[in-house]
Amino acid sequence: MHLIVPGEKLFMEETLKRFIAAKQSLYDNLKQWKKASGKKIVGCHPMDIPEEIVHAAGMLPITLMGFDGAITHATRSLQPTIACNILLENLEMCLNGTLDFLDGVIFADVCDTIPILSDIWLRHSHHVLHHLMVMPKHLNSPSSRRRVSEQFLRLKAAIEKQNNKKISDRALKHSIGVYNQNRRLLKRLYDLRLCKPGLLSASDVSAVVTAGMLMRKEDHNQLVEQLLLELENLPVPTSDMHVKLIVSGSLCGHCDSVLSVIDAQGAYILEDDLYIGSRYFTSLTNEDIDPIEALAQRYVDDIPSPTKFFDANAWANYISNMVIRDKADGIIIVMRKLCEIHADDFPCIQNKLNNGGIPCLMIEIERAGVSEQDKTRIQAFIDMLGVQ
Amino acid sequence: MEIKLPRLKAQTIQRQLFIDYWQELHNAKESEKKVAWVSGMSPSELLSAMDFLIIYPMNHSATCGAAGVATVLCEISEQNGYSPDLCGYQRCDIGSALMGEQTLSPVRPPRPDLMLVTSNQQCHQIFKWFENISRIYDVPLIMVDVPFLDDTATKDDELSALKYVKEQLQEFIYFLEGFTKRRYNYDRLQECMAYASAAYDLWYEGLFNAAKNIPSPISTFDLFIHLGPMLYLRSRPEAVDYYRNLKDEVLERVANGQGAVPDEKFRLFLNGMNWMKIPSLAKLCASYNACMVTGIYPLLFTLKGGDISRPVETMAKSAINSLLNRGLQTRINAVENLVRDFAIDGIIAPTIRGCKPISSFQLETMREVERLTGVPNLEFETCMVDTRYHSDAQVEVRIQAFMELLENRVKK
């Protein structure tokens, strides 16, 4: 669903379609691209992987974001009552051959299951590159901050070993530039949406971000730039009558089912704190210092993340400030079932929002769909905010 | 028919030791001693050497489970926004802390002055759990991050992990000096480590290894119950005396050919853990003349000692070398070896709801161990302490069927 008056958006629609196509084809386009280009593709498990290092080695880093087919093999290795569905979906794709086209896979141990998933994956796959980044579980001490750069260097060395080729500082700086450009462009898109709520539906914004995780950043940059040009010339839609929301969470995967309920309800999202959203692109990397140090600095100074064990208060404040700053009517928190890192920070966030009088709804999602019950809850939440 | 398992006399001694220890804890304020809440794999010797009294929230939850109050405490944390999918120990302990003075906990742990958590094998939840508790009590939380060594880890990775853990332990020591306003007492630390190391060796030889005897003089029930002093008292001479005593008692059983279950016929392995159900599981198995002789859990939660003249290095080494901190292949090898060494006939493998670090290994390990050894396994789902996620009837039926399977294999 697109929210612009027909006739004015024809050109933009065409651009948008390309994002949506990239998102829908998921891995099929990539297989073709690989065949045509002869380049290597590396799957990155969400989240926190310094893709720039992969990019600088001339390989294409893509995000593994699950699929909506049947899970039949993966549950023989990981119990569905223990592992979240994103991880099961990715493992299923490893076991059923969908990901055989990958030349490598990289994990960062952002949760309890990933390190073990990595070892399970290793037993059942034949990717040339298999790498687990063991990140510090806190960033409170000089030693733990040093460990971040060590782990980034370790990833760089592993890639260099596989390719039998050094990654030069120049190449890495170039890649950082490409990624920063991508982040700036997406930030512009988000700023535009904040100024002109309703310009794009939440599902479309999600398609734009998702596409970037599945294609060359250079190509994505071009597409986003074109989209921005078209959007910036569109008139501002009226938004007074619409409920305005912030959406947060859905770490590691998309929550399109929730977003489309919000779209269908006619509510506007002002800004998000989603993994496939602002969490992916908010912080820039310093282009003037040693590139590995710069990437490590980005990791440390990034927006609050439950995977890096900032005090949960920091995340709670970040979210609550976003709602207040944007003058949103309320916030929907999307939590993936069995995501322990999110579930553990949630009580603190809930307290903060409650104390600030900010209306908040928590929706737990399992796989692609949203239950009828949750659909009703989202609708009722939006209706309630509309009345207020 | 209710089977009565012979108890080790040491259990009575342990009871008194803990009554005295908790008395000490409750008098901490009067005696001007500080209380630290620490995670199971933490190098608590570092704190004991500076006169801290130690509480293990994990063990506290197990105690609540045994006393039958854990489920209510879990519900309290859920009412406060914690997901029922989170670790049962965590929900129980947070529930107790949220209730404050009104807690239903039978031991009513005194509030901490300090919290110390160690991230063995990537248990993120224990970091969050401690973070939440430290927020409730508004006390400092120190995190020691022990990097997981997965199946691809190299010698270099191991060395860099060792260096990193050593740095953090040193940072913690500096913090303690500031916190207590006293110079760190390295002599006391060596003393504490010597006691802990001696206690471990006695436990390992006298209890853990004793189960290799046929019939086994002890069951996993004993193995678990007698972990207590290793946690709480390992920095004290009492622990050494305790395990020496225990070893003598167990060896006496061996000499007399006395088994932990009547007419031991099957030897079982417990791959996983369920505190609240250990007594009933042990009894249930015993009613089929099956002794659950050993399990993986005690090995996961004990720290081997080493050279006490280099305390920080030794503690860092035992943390990173713990089985809990190693990848899937190491786990498979460990279980395979135990199954062979202890002449195991079958494996009971509970998947613990909410415990990802232990449960995620389960399916692959069991499949591979069965392939390598031919020993069958029984999997079922349960929770550490939350009775809502455990069905006695279901487990009984499944164990019955498993025993029939073992019987049939003997007949063949």
Side-chain angles (χ1 to χ4, degrees):
Chain A
M1 169 178 153
H2 309 298
L3 304 164
I4 313 296
V5 188
E8 289 179 330
K9 56 164 184 175
L10 222 57
F11 194 40
M12 182 200 83
E13 282 284 298
E14 288 307 309
T15 315
L16 263 181
K17 270 187 196 154
R18 296 181 58 187
F19 289 105
I20 294 166
K23 179 184 168 184
Q24 280 170 348
S25 97
L26 208 58
Y27 309 105
D28 294 339
N29 277 5
L30 290 165
K31 285 179 206 165
Q32 287 168 18
W33 178 83
K34 181 178 164 161
K35 222 174 182 176
S37 67
K39 297 233 173 180
K40 290 180 180 169
I41 304 184
V42 175
C44 301
H45 263 267
M47 317 175 280
D48 295 342
I49 293 180
E51 292 176 36
E52 291 89 336
I53 300 176
V54 184
H55 184 270
M59 306 192 285
L60 172 64
I62 57 149
T63 302
L64 299 179
M65 48 178 76
F67 77 133
D68 42 23
I71 296 179
T72 51
H73 304 79
T75 44
R76 293 187 63 228
S77 296
L78 272 176
Q79 304 92 324
T81 47
I82 294 290
C84 78
N85 276 312
I86 285 284
L87 297 185
L88 284 177
E89 287 168 15
N90 284 344
L91 179 61
E92 182 71 24
M93 288 194 296
C94 162
L95 299 175
N96 72 15
T98 308
L99 297 181
D100 282 355
F101 73 96
L102 290 180
D103 299 284
V105 59
I106 303 173
F107 306 78
D109 60 341
V110 293
C111 71
D112 285 349
T113 315
I114 286 210
I116 302 155
L117 172 74
S118 163
D119 275 352
I120 292 173
W121 197 290
L122 185 66
R123 296 175 73 82
H124 298 284
S125 65
H126 307 281
H127 308 304
V128 187
L129 174 72
H130 182 109
H131 191 87
L132 172 71
M133 292 171 35
V134 186
M135 302 308 293
K137 295 287 147 293
H138 64 85
L139 297 168
N140 298 339
S141 66
S143 57
S144 60
R145 288 189 287 272
R146 212 162 38 238
R147 173 111 184 141
V148 178
S149 359
E150 276 173 25
Q151 285 301 302
F152 285 5
L153 279 171
R154 191 172 149 260
L155 171 67
K156 180 167 167 260
I159 295 172
E160 288 175 338
K161 197 175 156 203
Q162 289 307 334
N163 288 343
N164 208 7
K165 194 179 163 209
K166 286 264 171 221
I167 298 171
S168 71
D169 276 5
R170 218 175 124 224
L172 194 47
K173 279 194 165 179
H174 171 74
S175 299
I176 288 174
V178 172
Y179 271 73
N180 271 351
Q181 174 66 2
N182 191 252
R183 292 182 182 122
R184 284 193 201 97
L185 288 166
L186 289 171
K187 180 77 175 44
R188 254 173 70 196
L189 181 73
Y190 268 57
D191 286 346
L192 194 64
R193 170 169 73 165
L194 188 57
C195 297
K196 306 178 183 178
L199 196 59
L200 277 178
S201 70
S203 310
D204 286 343
V205 171
S206 167
V208 172
V209 181
T210 309
M213 294 164 138
L214 294 168
M215 61 162 69
R216 286 176 74 232
K217 284 284 186 288
E218 290 87 339
D219 297 341
H220 193 243
N221 284 349
Q222 268 187 14
L223 270 177
V224 180
E225 218 153 344
Q226 190 177 335
L227 179 71
L228 281 167
L229 265 174
E230 293 159 12
L231 286 175
E232 276 158 357
N233 291 325
L234 284 179
V236 186
T238 52
S239 61
D240 295 351
M241 299 300 291
H242 297 262
V243 168
K244 296 177 196 69
L245 294 172
I246 300 291
V247 186
S248 165
S250 192
L251 304 174
C252 287
H254 68 71
C255 56
D256 289 348
S257 51
V258 173
L259 298 182
S260 47
V261 178
I262 296 173
D263 282 340
Q265 218 36 34
Y268 290 163
I269 291 177
L270 294 177
E271 201 176 349
D272 69 44
D273 172 52
L274 298 171
Y275 167 62
I276 300 189
S278 74
R279 301 194 66 79
Y280 182 68
F281 63 79
T282 292
S283 307
L284 294 176
T285 313
N286 186 341
E287 295 181 37
D288 301 325
I289 57 171
D290 171 76
I292 290 287
E293 273 316 305
L295 288 169
Q297 209 177 67
R298 175 180 189 268
Y299 180 92
V300 173
D301 297 337
D302 202 357
I303 54 176
S305 165
T307 59
K308 296 172 193 165
F309 296 83
F310 283 100
D311 182 355
N313 273 314
W315 195 19
N317 289 337
Y318 177 78
I319 297 172
S320 137
N321 287 343
M322 190 184 277
V323 179
I324 296 165
R325 185 182 63 226
D326 296 347
K327 299 192 179 67
D329 299 312
I331 178 165
I332 295 181
I333 293 179
V334 186
M335 183 146 62
R336 191 158 290 273
K337 189 166 171 64
L338 294 167
C339 179
E340 75 281 355
I341 50 166
H342 194 178
D344 256 319
D345 280 5
F346 176 71
C348 176
I349 294 171
Q350 192 184 32
N351 268 343
K352 174 82 195 172
L353 294 169
N354 286 349
N355 292 341
I358 296 170
C360 161
L361 174 72
M362 195 273 272
I363 295 289
E364 194 174 59
I365 53 170
E366 289 199 51
R367 290 202 67 193
V370 52
S371 69
E372 279 306 313
Q373 198 189 351
D374 282 339
K375 213 174 190 173
T376 313
R377 287 177 65 218
I378 300 170
Q379 288 164 345
F381 182 66
I382 294 174
D383 286 348
M384 178 197 80
L385 295 178
V387 172
Q388 287 175 354
Chain B
M1 184 191 68
E2 174 84 341
I3 291 228
K4 248 194 139 126
L5 295 171
R7 280 195 174 197
L8 288 159
K9 286 188 232 85
Q11 213 171 314
T12 322
I13 305 174
Q14 187 184 145
R15 205 180 137 71
Q16 193 52 50
L17 281 175
F18 277 111
I19 291 174
D20 294 347
Y21 185 72
W22 278 92
Q23 197 55 50
E24 221 181 311
L25 273 166
H26 286 293
N27 293 339
K29 220 173 198 170
E30 290 78 52
S31 55
E32 291 180 359
K33 284 200 170 175
K34 297 222 181 300
V35 175
W37 288 21
V38 306
S39 66
M41 296 297 281
S42 292
S44 61
E45 294 87 342
L46 279 174
L47 287 157
S48 302
M50 293 297 271
D51 297 323
F52 280 82
L53 295 172
I54 309 293
I55 290 179
Y56 291 88
M58 295 159 89
N59 179 266
H60 171 241
S61 295
T63 308
C64 291
V69 297
T71 307
V72 181
L73 293 173
C74 286
E75 283 169 347
I76 301 244
S77 61
E78 285 160 33
Q79 285 157 16
N80 283 274
Y82 292 90
S83 161
D85 291 327
L86 290 169
C87 161
Y89 271 5
Q90 176 191 359
R91 282 178 292 129
C92 172
D93 193 53
I94 289 181
S96 170
L98 285 169
M99 285 187 86
E101 291 291 308
Q102 264 66 51
T103 180
L104 302 171
S105 158
V107 288
R108 310 172 61 80
R111 59 173 287 131
D113 295 292
L114 176 74
M115 299 189 65
L116 170 67
V117 60
T118 311
S119 72
N120 284 73
Q121 205 231 308
Q122 300 303 100
C123 182
H124 290 69
Q125 282 185 68
I126 201 160
F127 266 56
K128 298 278 186 188
W129 163 6
F130 273 56
E131 190 192 313
N132 277 304
I133 295 270
S134 79
R135 199 176 301 126
I136 292 170
Y137 289 114
D138 193 20
V139 292
L141 165 67
I142 309 301
M143 303 174 170
V144 177
D145 173 21
V146 181
F148 181 59
L149 294 168
D150 69 315
D151 284 347
T152 65
T154 61
K155 197 76 204 156
D156 279 350
D157 295 333
E158 218 168 287
L159 289 174
S160 106
L162 182 66
K163 178 169 154 269
Y164 175 42
V165 176
K166 270 163 63 182
E167 282 169 347
Q168 292 176 86
L169 293 178
Q170 202 57 60
E171 283 164 356
F172 179 52
I173 288 175
Y174 296 146
F175 168 85
L176 278 179
E177 289 185 327
F179 190 78
T180 57
K181 300 189 181 67
R182 276 162 50 202
R183 288 285 299 251
Y184 194 78
N185 192 340
Y186 285 95
D187 292 338
R188 260 305 288 293
L189 176 62
Q190 291 193 358
E191 234 174 76
C192 292
M193 287 177 71
Y195 290 135
S197 176
Y200 176 89
D201 292 346
L202 286 163
W203 171 85
Y204 189 77
E205 274 313 309
L207 202 64
F208 189 81
N209 259 349
K212 283 182 184 162
N213 288 290
I214 298 177
S216 170
I218 59 146
S219 75
T220 10
F221 175 66
D222 303 303
L223 207 53
F224 281 102
I225 288 293
H226 297 282
L227 271 178
M230 186 90 76
L231 283 177
Y232 282 98
L233 304 169
R234 70 165 180 258
S235 295
R236 299 179 175 198
E238 289 98 305
V240 183
D241 292 343
Y242 178 80
Y243 286 108
R244 190 173 295 124
N245 226 318
L246 186 66
K247 184 179 170 183
D248 291 345
E249 197 186 347
V250 172
L251 290 184
E252 200 183 308
R253 275 193 184 181
V254 175
N256 298 336
Q258 188 191 349
V261 306
D263 307 319
E264 178 188 297
K265 196 166 164 191
F266 301 115
R267 296 166 65 81
L268 303 177
F269 182 89
L270 182 64
N271 197 58
M273 175 57 191
N274 182 345
W275 267 108
M276 62 178 175
K277 293 295 169 187
I278 284 185
S280 60
L281 267 179
K283 280 180 192 165
L284 183 61
C285 294
S287 70
Y288 295 95
N289 304 105
C291 181
M292 217 187 269
V293 296
T294 193
I296 193 84
Y297 191 87
L299 281 186
L300 297 179
F301 284 93
T302 42
L303 289 165
K304 199 175 176 325
D307 179 5
I308 58 165
S309 66
R310 304 169 73 187
V312 172
E313 167 117 7
T314 300
M315 274 185 283
K317 266 190 186 155
S318 51
I320 66 165
N321 288 330
S322 141
L323 184 55
L324 194 60
N325 204 46
R326 296 283 171 152
L328 181 57
Q329 189 57 52
T330 315
R331 182 72 61 93
I332 291 169
N333 296 345
V335 177
E336 186 199 346
N337 289 338
L338 289 168
V339 163
R340 293 190 199 280
D341 292 352
F342 286 78
I344 298 295
D345 302 299
I347 303 177
I348 308 277
T351 286
I352 309 153
R353 210 186 125 83
C355 181
K356 299 183 178 208
I358 293 184
S359 298
S360 303
F361 277 109
Q362 194 81 286
L363 298 183
E364 289 272 336
T365 308
M366 288 301 101
R367 189 159 61 233
E368 193 57 11
V369 169
E370 182 162 3
R371 190 183 70 79
L372 292 166
T373 63
V375 173
N377 58 74
L378 168 71
E379 285 159 29
F380 59 85
E381 198 174 283
T382 181
C383 177
M384 287 290 207
V385 289
D386 193 332
T387 49
R388 291 170 296 171
Y389 303 114
H390 179 93
S391 159
D392 278 329
Q394 215 171 43
V395 170
E396 272 171 37
V397 171
R398 301 206 54 196
I399 288 202
Q400 186 183 4
F402 190 62
M403 292 301 162
E404 280 165 19
L405 174 104
L406 294 184
E407 286 276 359
N408 289 336
R409 285 163 69 101
V410 174
K411 279 180 200 152
K412 278 179 197 168

